């Protein structure tokens, strides 16, 4: 057996080994929703601390518009550029190497820090449930990350089949909670009219609504991860748009139900600081069955999200190696399991290190920052894509409507979100921008000379208009 490190080629008796095309729309849905759904179980509620319960609802829908734009744009470009790495593959074909390198890092940091957040949440939830003095979350965090990395190492089909099942169970738990509290009869169980009054609906005014954008992102953070599986779906033109848009609709419904139940059961002062809003909602119903169901669902949502994050971060890192943006050693595909196993193993200790040194708020913030940087790029990317290859010049798997309105909306909402993050975590924002600037200098002066630009353009497109 020989392994050629260039162009992701592992050779066994002369045969090329590449990633397997085994996924359908359900797997794409499971990847996107699985990564995001944990945001309904924790994270979104911190927006209530920033601006009150009504602010949390406003950002639920406004940020939902941001992510609907992301899903629409992603569905068009990725169903056309069907390659591992998602937004990275888009950037290298449409913009250029420096942008592509940064976008891949945005992806890796966003998913790795989200994975870290999930592992911390899972460990803290188990410790809170156990109530054993002296019990810490460290062993649970380590076990979660290592076991899920092993699952990803063994194959993408098994990984996303598991994600589909546990994501579906977690989602059903939200639906069960919603219908168990008589949502159509205010006052029977829910007390929204008492808890959200004109006097406390927006305790910090409209600046509080702006500040709430930072954690409102958590309602949907990660849905763009569906594009990381582009090279492993059987029919990108069908599976990616269907799976991504179905996932976005699923999340909009879940977000609305989650806010309505939680805001109707606990005051915004408590809702904004708890790490377990849905589990607490289950407790407040007085039903042990609902309490235990939401406890289990919180664990499953964290597992599904971390599982999908490992999958997506590894694909982005693998893509960097394949195109020589990083050492091509990372581009190897396992000869048996057909997974980017070296990228998975390389990112494993990095995730463990962050999990033990960062707290949940820091991990969430770094994940959000990287995500918003990536979304800002997407708004520019789609404008360049449509300008270089207008409709009719190349075959698209999906064409999103209303262009350029989604791109404009996305860019404007990203600017608002950056301002919101600056209000709460200005030093982290500056530090992360400085980091990406320095790593860009490293790439330009050291690594760029290894890139073979002609090898990375894999799409049979005509010369762009104007070139």
């Amino acid at each position: 057996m020989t392994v050629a490190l260039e162009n992701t080629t592992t050779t066994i008796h002369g045969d090329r080994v590449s990633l397997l095309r085994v996924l359908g729309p359900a797997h794409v849905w499971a990847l996107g929703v699985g990564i995001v759904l944990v945001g309904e179980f924790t994270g979104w509620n911190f927006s209530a601390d920033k601006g009150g319960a009504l602010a949390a609802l406003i950002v639920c829908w406004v940020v939902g518009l941001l992510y609907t734009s992301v899903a629409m744009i992603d569905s068009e470009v990725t169903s056309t550029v069907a390659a591992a790495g998602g937004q990275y593959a888009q950037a290298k074909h449409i913009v250029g190497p420096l942008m592509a390198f940064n976008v891949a890092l945005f992806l890796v940091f966003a998913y790795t820090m989200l994975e870290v957040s999930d592992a911390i949440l899972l460990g803290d939830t188990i410790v809170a449930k156990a109530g054993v003095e002296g019990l810490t979350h460290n062993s649970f965090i380590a076990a979660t990350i290592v076991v899920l990395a092993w699952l990803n190492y063994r194959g993408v089909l098994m990984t996303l089949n598991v994600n589909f099942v546990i994501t579906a169970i977690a989602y059903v738990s939200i639906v069960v909670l919603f219908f168990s509290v008589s949502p159509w009869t205010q006052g029977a169980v829910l007390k929204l009219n008492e808890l959200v009054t004109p006097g406390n609906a927006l305790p910090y005014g409209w600046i509080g609504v702006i500040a709430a954008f930072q954690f409102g992102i958590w309602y949907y953070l990660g849905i763009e991860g569906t594009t990381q599986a582009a090279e492993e779906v059987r029919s990108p033109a069908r599976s990616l748009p269907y799976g991504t848009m179905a996932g976005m609709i699923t999340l909009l419904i879940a977000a609305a139900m989650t806010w309505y139940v939680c805001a109707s059961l606990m005051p915004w002062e408590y809702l904004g600081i708890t790490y377990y809003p849905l589990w607490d909602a289950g407790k407040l119903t007085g039903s042990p069955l609902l309490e235990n169901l939401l406890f289990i669902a919180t664990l499953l949502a964290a597992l599904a999200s971390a599982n999908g994050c490992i999958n997506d971060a590894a694909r982005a890192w693998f893509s960097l190696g394949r195109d020589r943006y990083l050492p091509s050693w990372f581009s190897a595909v396992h000869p048996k399991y057909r997974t980017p196993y070296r990228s998975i193993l390389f990112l494993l200790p990095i995730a463990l290190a962050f999990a033990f040194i960062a707290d949940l708020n820091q991990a969430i913030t770094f994940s959000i920052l990287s995500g918003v940087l990536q979304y800002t790029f997407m708004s520019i990317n789609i404008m360049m894509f449509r300008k270089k290859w207008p409709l009719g010049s190349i075959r698209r798997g999906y064409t999103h409507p209303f262009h350029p309105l989604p791109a404009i909306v996305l860019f404007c909402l990203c600017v608002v979100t950056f301002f919101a993050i600056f209000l709460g975590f200005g030093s982290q924002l500056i530090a992360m921008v400085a980091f990406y600037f320095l790593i860009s200098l490293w790439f330009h002066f050291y690594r760029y000379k290894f890139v073979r630009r002609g090898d990375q353009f894999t799409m049979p497109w005509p010369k762009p208009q104007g070139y």
Side-chain angles (χ1 to χ4, degrees):
M1 179 179 75
T2 63
V3 178
L5 295 179
E6 305 303 332
N7 202 29
T8 325
T9 306
T10 303
T11 307
I12 303 177
H13 307 305
D15 295 327
R16 178 188 173 99
V17 177
S18 58
L19 301 176
L20 284 172
R21 288 194 177 275
V22 293
L23 306 178
H27 297 104
V28 174
W29 177 91
L31 179 58
V33 177
I35 290 174
V36 182
L37 195 62
V38 68
E40 319 304 338
F41 288 85
T42 193
W44 71 269
N45 55 297
F46 299 143
S47 60
D49 183 51
K50 295 290 185 180
L54 185 56
L57 177 63
I58 293 171
V59 298
C60 171
W61 290 110
V62 177
V63 174
L65 183 61
L66 183 157
Y67 275 92
T68 299
S69 299
V70 166
M72 292 167 64
I73 292 169
D74 246 359
S75 292
E76 174 172 334
V77 185
T78 308
S79 63
T80 309
V81 189
Q87 291 81 10
Y88 158 78
Q90 300 171 22
K92 74 176 184 178
H93 282 89
I94 300 168
V95 184
L98 182 59
M99 177 60 79
F101 176 74
N102 275 280
V103 167
L105 290 185
F106 299 160
L107 291 166
V108 172
F109 269 88
Y111 293 126
T112 300
M113 297 309 293
L114 181 50
E115 172 196 348
V116 167
S117 303
D118 296 329
I120 294 172
L121 171 66
L122 186 140
D124 286 347
T125 305
I126 294 174
V127 170
K129 180 68 171 177
V132 177
E133 186 176 352
L135 181 65
T136 67
H137 64 196
N138 289 346
S139 59
F140 301 110
I141 290 173
T144 298
I145 294 175
V146 170
V147 170
L148 292 178
W150 171 82
L151 184 64
N152 277 268
Y153 182 98
R154 292 294 300 269
V156 69
L157 184 61
M158 178 172 64
T159 297
L160 294 188
N161 279 336
V162 170
N163 244 42
F164 181 82
V165 173
I166 61 180
T167 299
I169 295 172
Y171 190 85
V172 167
S173 74
I174 297 176
V175 177
V176 170
L177 174 65
F178 181 78
F179 285 104
S180 297
V181 293
S182 303
W184 48 82
T185 310
Q186 268 291 327
V189 178
L190 305 182
K191 311 291 183 182
L192 186 64
N193 291 336
E194 298 175 18
L195 295 174
V196 182
T197 65
N200 68 13
L202 294 175
Y204 306 121
W206 286 100
I207 191 65
V209 176
I210 299 299
F213 268 74
Q214 175 184 349
F215 291 108
I217 293 287
W218 208 242
Y219 279 113
Y220 313 102
L221 179 66
I223 186 62
E224 72 282 356
T226 55
T227 63
Q228 299 302 310
E231 202 166 312
E232 295 162 279
V233 296
R234 292 187 294 270
S235 174
R238 174 177 175 268
S239 298
L240 290 172
Y242 283 1
T244 302
M245 298 308 294
M248 194 62 219
I249 293 169
T250 301
L251 292 168
L252 286 166
I253 295 170
M257 290 192 296
T258 297
W259 178 88
Y260 183 67
V261 171
C262 292
S264 299
L265 286 174
M266 58 193 87
W268 70 269
E269 295 92 341
Y270 179 79
L271 178 62
I273 61 172
T274 179
Y275 284 126
Y276 320 105
L278 279 171
W279 184 23
D280 283 346
K283 293 177 184 178
L284 290 170
T285 65
S287 168
L289 178 62
L290 286 175
E291 177 185 345
N292 290 324
L293 174 64
L294 271 298
F295 164 72
I296 293 170
T298 301
L299 300 183
L300 293 180
L303 283 172
S305 181
N307 196 28
C309 286
I310 293 171
N311 178 93
D312 286 356
R315 267 67 185 170
W317 199 257
F318 155 86
S319 298
L320 284 172
R322 176 165 62 180
D323 292 324
R324 299 170 63 91
Y325 287 53
L326 291 176
S328 53
W329 184 85
F330 293 112
S331 68
V333 177
H334 196 284
K336 179 180 179 181
Y337 302 125
R338 310 282 282 276
T339 55
Y341 68 106
R342 287 179 182 167
S343 294
I344 293 170
L345 294 177
F346 176 78
L347 293 173
L348 172 60
I350 295 175
L352 287 170
F354 275 113
F356 291 129
I357 64 174
D359 63 31
L360 186 57
N361 270 337
Q362 289 176 327
I364 289 175
T365 300
F366 274 96
S367 181
I368 289 172
L369 279 169
S370 296
V372 178
L373 284 168
Q374 175 203 150
Y375 307 146
T376 306
F377 147 74
M378 288 173 59
S379 63
I380 299 168
N381 182 63
I382 187 63
M383 302 288 274
M384 294 181 67
F385 183 52
R386 286 287 186 99
K387 182 179 179 180
K388 288 184 174 183
W389 292 280
L391 296 182
S393 62
I394 59 174
R395 186 169 179 265
R396 287 165 161 81
Y398 166 81
T399 302
H400 82 274
F402 311 122
H403 180 78
L405 185 59
I408 296 170
V409 169
L410 177 58
F411 184 84
C412 293
L413 292 178
C414 284
V415 171
V416 174
T417 305
F418 278 124
F419 178 66
I421 295 171
F422 181 78
L423 291 177
F425 292 86
S427 58
Q428 286 91 333
L429 176 60
I430 294 170
M432 180 157 281
V433 171
F435 165 78
Y436 283 122
F437 175 75
L438 292 174
I439 204 71
S440 294
L441 292 177
W442 171 84
F443 176 78
H444 178 77
F445 289 108
Y446 174 73
R447 192 67 209 176
Y448 184 78
K449 62 187 177 183
F450 296 101
V451 176
R452 296 175 179 173
R453 292 211 60 189
D455 292 344
Q456 62 183 291
F457 296 105
T458 58
M459 303 306 299
W461 293 347
K463 190 176 181 178
Q465 289 200 9
Y467 290 82

